Amino acid sequence: MSTLNMLVSGLASGAVRIVDLTHTLDPDFPVIVLPPEFGQCARFRMEEVSAYDHRGPAWKWHNISMSEHTGTHFDAPSHWISGKDVPNGSVDEIPAEAFVGPVVVIDCSKGAAENDDFELTPEIIAGWESDHGRIPADAWVLMRTDWSKRRGAEYLNMRADGPHSPGPTPEAIRFLIEERNIRGFGTETVGTDAGQGAHYVPPYPAHYFLHGAGKYGLQCLANLDQLPATGAVLIAAPLKIKNGTGSPLRVLAMVAE
Ligand code: MN
């Protein structure tokens, strides 16, 4: 049987399962909030054009608007100043091969349940590799925190000194890029960086190092608790927005049972 025939029969038999890692686009879903002196991202908005009525008797449809960085979304290299001159750095230029590939999941859910500012460190990555083997080159690395189960104000978790949510240290991100040459890094939180990521050197190290190296980001992911640590395949294809720095998207994983 050809490789694709095996995949199709696996999908039909249930031997290959599809896991949806995407939140529903909804006006109530939180978007990142920056300090007030900066420009702000827009939430998802939807207006009815017609609904089988005098505006269109046989059809229903909506106009929608949002930021490139609303809901479950993809970050392209051009999102960050460090990646502004990376070749093929906007979503319309990224080669399509980048949108389908292997994925590993580092489970940080216990630590994140005890500490809102939980950090993914090189030591945690080393522990994960001793259990699961070396992170393969060109893989997506997803940080599971179960943060996607939070609702409302608990999700951004804003306090007087800003948002508090887990993320990687600069050393962890540099290790994944420089020593493992990953494809990209994904989180369940509103950004690839920790809520307090402005306080690292450099600020927002996941954005800074990933995009400077031509790597990608995924955030606001869900259902990471349904993925194995290794062996799944991620499908994450952003909209083809001219010069787009990111895009909402449907993120799917193929998992072998
Ligand atoms: Mn983003």
Side-chain angles (χ1 to χ4, degrees), residues 85-158:
D85 297 320
V86 164
N88 302 317
S90 56
V91 284
D92 58 316
E93 298 169 332
I94 297 169
E97 293 75 26
F99 304 145
V100 182
V103 59
V104 305
V105 181
I106 301 178
D107 184 1
C108 301
S109 59
K110 260 199 201 109
E114 291 160 6
N115 176 8
D116 289 352
D117 297 306
F118 182 83
E119 294 175 307
L120 174 64
T121 62
E123 292 70 31
I124 292 171
I125 296 168
W128 184 94
E129 288 194 328
S130 73
D131 292 339
H132 302 288
R134 187 183 167 101
I135 294 169
D138 208 24
W140 281 102
V141 175
L142 306 185
M143 179 181 177
R144 175 185 163 195
T145 54
D146 290 349
W147 210 261
S148 57
K149 299 179 195 300
R150 292 182 171 226
R151 292 293 175 269
E154 291 280 289
Y155 187 72
L156 293 182
N157 201 27
M158 293 294 274

Side-chain angles (χ1 to χ4, degrees), residues 21-33 40-46 64-75 79 155-156 189-191 217-221 238-239 241 245-251:
L21 307 185
T22 319
H23 282 287
T24 302
L25 280 172
D26 176 308
D28 292 331
F29 192 82
V31 298
I32 198 163
V33 176
Q40 303 292 333
C41 264
R43 290 188 178 214
F44 177 75
R45 283 192 292 260
M46 187 165 80
I64 58 173
S65 65
M66 73 206 88
S67 164
E68 294 169 330
H69 298 260
T70 295
T72 301
H73 72 275
F74 184 103
D75 280 2
H79 178 41
Y155 187 72
L156 293 182
T189 52
V190 78
L218 287 170
Q219 45 259 286
C220 307
L221 294 168
L239 297 176
I241 301 166
T245 70
S247 161
L249 77 173
R250 194 80 179 244
V251 183

Side-chain angles (χ1 to χ4, degrees), residues 161 195-204:
D161 62 350
Q196 292 287 295
H199 300 298
Y200 289 121
V201 180
Y204 305 108

